[in-house]
Amino acid sequence: MTRFRYFEHFRRMGQGFIPALALMLLSGCAVGPDYQRPEATIIPDAFVGTGNDWKIATPKAHIPRGNWWEIFGDPELNQLETDAMAANQDLKVAVSRFAQARAVANVAESALFPRLGVSVQQVDQRDSKHRPVGGRPDQTYDTLTVPFDFSYEIDLWGRVKRLVEAATAQAQASADDVESIKLALQAEVAANFITLRTLDADKALVLSSIDVYRKSLELVRNRRAGGMISDLDVAQAETVLKTAEAQIPNITNQRAKYQNALAVLTGKPASLFQLPDRPLDILPLVIPAGLPSELLERRPDIAAAERRMAASNANIGVATAAFFPTVKLSGIAGFQSGGLDMLFDWPSRFWAVGPSLTLPLFQGGQLNATLRQTKAVYEENVAKYRQTVLSAFAEVENNLAAEHLLADEFQKVLGALQSVRRQQEIAGNRYASGIATYLEVATAQNAALGIERSSVRLRGQQLVSVAALIKSLGGGWQAPDMGDESS
């Protein structure tokens, strides 16, 4: 007889679970628009007018970039890049933000599963004498309860699903932000290092010229002592020397700024970070013509903008689901008695289970306003995505133009340098023969030093433009295997 009561007890419980189970099986749908990446913009098949075919830009940030800075062939730069990746504080901030976004996504995913909890409650209680039903009037008694609480939101309209979609997309965008900061950091380290070494080369050039000018001044003074020339030649030689010497403090100051910037980028105190002087010795790099535009699609900022667009699309579904009823299945079961000795006896059991439905009837326009807001945010992110693609493409074109123009300018300066050296030689011979004043020599020396310094700076600027081009391309110009087109 007891077993029959137990069977009947569980049968009645099952009757309550069957409708709830049916609702759970129907919870596969989701209101709101399913995400489809909108067309960002069309881009040419290749940069700088080398192709006529056009294609739709699609993010491919998953493609590995590798250690692109190794193309410069400088072990010291390679080590600085490694140090920056390990110790840069801005990068650590971005990594921490990604960890936060991933945790938020995990929180959203937890809503897909039932909630189950347990507690222990001990209550000293006295019932009112005028209690309408039951109770123990004029008595104080203990109640010991061990309830298990159960709740589960049946995701009929996909609200939870859309929340998970939005949080996951935001986490992916945060991961792409980390890659963006890495790429920007790598490019900044390379640019600062090249500029610092360019200043070293400039300083070495000026110091070398100063040695020449000192010897020239000594020669001029000897000739003045012999009565061969006037004080004007001595003054002109001194002016050339002191003008060159005046350049050293400015070069040293500029170098200190870039050295300190590298210290910050690599996570080191500026006062303890030192890079010994070493002139720039990186060979010029040749950029291949007709770079495929699909390289640009590796840029993580484009991928991050696309993921934020996907997250805002999912939020439209969340706002749409708020118009529909919320169905939850909740229950409680456990043991209750007046003392611990009988707490876990079978007659001490209790339970209650059933669904609940909540339907918004009047919210003062809040739901409509929220839906309009999510749609507007989506449109904003679509515009940002398209603008990111357009800006990235323009950035590549600008850096390509800068690199080619600087290379052309560098070749022209080399031609001018040959001419001014010849001019300097002729002026020196004319002065030694006594048919010219030292003014011709000083003029030729100043012109030669200026053009030599220009050639050094142009070489450094050209290498910096290469680093900027690599950054704008998303890392290198080699076209790797694009792999899976899906994202």
Side-chain angles (χ1 to χ4, degrees):
M1 189 64 181
T2 302
R3 290 182 179 179
F4 177 77
R5 288 200 304 270
Y6 290 167
F7 174 79
E8 183 66 17
H9 170 69
F10 285 114
R11 185 185 66 81
R12 290 196 302 268
M13 289 181 63
Q15 289 177 344
F17 276 109
I18 290 175
L21 181 60
L23 288 174
M24 293 171 63
L25 293 176
L26 291 173
S27 62
C29 65
V31 297
D34 291 330
Y35 177 66
Q36 292 183 347
R37 183 190 301 121
E39 177 183 322
T41 182
I42 55 176
I43 60 176
D45 184 60
F47 292 104
V48 292
T50 56
N52 296 320
D53 296 331
W54 294 69
K55 64 189 291 293
I56 302 300
T58 55
K60 299 185 181 72
H62 61 282
I63 296 174
R65 296 167 183 83
N67 298 337
W68 57 264
W69 55 87
E70 293 179 355
I71 64 172
F72 294 109
D74 192 301
E76 193 172 21
L77 173 59
N78 296 344
Q79 185 59 51
L80 288 172
E81 295 284 4
T82 301
D83 294 343
M85 290 299 99
N88 182 264
Q89 299 305 307
D90 288 336
L91 181 57
K92 291 181 182 295
V93 169
V95 171
S96 297
R97 286 175 178 169
F98 168 58
Q100 296 172 40
R102 188 167 52 183
V104 170
N106 293 338
V107 170
E109 291 170 355
S110 68
L112 295 171
F113 302 94
R115 306 295 177 92
L116 181 64
V118 63
S119 61
V120 177
Q121 302 173 1
Q122 182 176 1
V123 179
D124 292 334
Q125 182 173 341
R126 181 185 185 281
D127 293 335
S128 168
K129 184 175 182 180
H130 302 290
R131 182 174 178 175
V133 179
R136 299 180 181 180
D138 301 324
Q139 295 186 34
T140 300
Y141 58 94
D142 295 333
T143 302
L144 186 60
T145 307
V146 181
F148 292 84
D149 299 309
F150 168 86
S151 65
Y152 177 68
E153 180 178 346
I154 301 172
D155 198 21
L156 281 176
W157 320 112
R159 186 190 73 88
V160 177
K161 178 183 176 182
R162 296 301 191 195
L163 281 173
V164 173
E165 285 181 11
T168 301
Q170 288 286 6
Q172 292 168 342
S174 183
D176 292 328
D177 288 340
V178 173
E179 294 303 316
S180 289
I181 291 178
K182 282 184 180 179
L183 186 59
L185 173 61
Q186 293 161 357
E188 190 172 359
V189 169
N192 286 351
F193 176 79
I194 292 169
T195 303
L196 182 141
R197 290 305 178 209
T198 301
L199 290 169
D200 286 345
D202 189 26
K203 182 179 180 180
L205 175 62
V206 174
L207 289 175
S208 176
S209 299
I210 288 173
D211 289 338
V212 174
Y213 298 161
R214 283 174 178 166
K215 292 177 182 179
S216 297
L217 176 60
E218 183 179 357
L219 177 62
V220 170
R221 284 172 174 169
N222 291 336
R223 297 188 69 183
R224 175 68 184 92
M228 301 174 61
I229 58 174
S230 67
D231 289 336
L232 178 61
D233 288 354
V234 176
Q236 289 171 340
E238 289 177 345
T239 300
V240 172
L241 173 61
K242 293 184 181 299
T243 300
E245 290 176 338
Q247 303 301 315
I248 297 300
N250 180 58
I251 297 174
T252 304
N253 180 49
Q254 293 296 319
R255 186 189 190 278
K257 291 180 179 179
Y258 283 99
Q259 180 174 265
N260 293 339
L262 285 170
V264 174
L265 292 172
T266 55
K268 298 182 176 68
S271 59
L272 303 178
F273 183 79
Q274 296 293 328
L275 289 175
D277 287 12
R278 175 168 63 83
L280 181 69
D281 58 0
I282 300 175
L283 297 176
L285 298 174
V286 178
I287 308 297
L291 292 175
S293 62
E294 61 187 2
L295 291 173
L296 178 145
E297 297 169 348
R298 300 176 305 174
R299 287 179 53 134
D301 58 340
I302 293 178
E306 188 273 336
R307 288 290 81 202
R308 290 190 170 91
M309 188 168 52
S312 59
N313 181 83
N315 284 330
I316 295 176
V318 175
T320 304
F323 287 88
F324 295 86
T326 300
V327 181
K328 289 186 177 181
L329 178 65
S330 59
I332 185 171
F335 298 92
Q336 185 180 57
S337 73
L340 186 62
D341 55 337
M342 297 182 297
L343 178 61
F344 295 106
D345 290 350
W346 187 245
S348 299
R349 73 194 184 282
F350 70 93
W351 63 269
V353 63
S356 64
L357 184 145
T358 304
L359 176 64
L361 296 179
F362 178 73
Q363 303 291 329
Q366 178 184 354
L367 299 182
N368 282 308
T370 301
L371 181 58
R372 292 197 307 272
Q373 179 190 18
T374 56
K375 289 181 178 179
V377 170
Y378 172 74
E379 294 300 329
E380 175 189 356
N381 285 324
V382 170
K384 286 182 177 179
Y385 172 59
R386 289 172 174 162
Q387 183 64 29
T388 301
V389 174
L390 290 172
S391 299
F393 184 75
E395 186 179 340
V396 174
E397 292 286 8
N398 290 339
N399 288 324
L400 275 173
E403 195 280 330
H404 290 313
L405 292 174
L406 286 170
D408 183 58
E409 184 179 358
F410 180 70
Q411 293 302 318
K412 288 180 170 59
V413 167
L414 290 181
L417 186 59
Q418 292 179 353
S419 298
V420 79
R421 284 174 177 170
R422 178 62 179 160
Q423 175 188 348
Q424 188 176 11
E425 182 182 355
I426 293 172
N429 292 336
R430 284 170 56 83
Y431 179 73
S433 301
I435 60 176
T437 66
Y438 196 79
L439 179 61
E440 288 188 12
V441 177
T443 301
Q445 287 176 334
N446 284 329
L449 179 59
I451 294 177
E452 286 177 342
R453 293 185 69 187
S454 294
S455 67
V456 169
R457 288 194 295 266
L458 281 172
R459 184 182 172 191
Q461 289 172 7
Q462 184 183 11
L463 291 171
V464 169
S465 71
V466 170
L469 174 61
I470 291 173
K471 173 181 175 291
S472 62
L473 287 171
W477 53 70
Q478 294 78 15
D481 181 12
M482 292 299 177
D484 184 10
E485 294 290 326
S486 62
S487 61

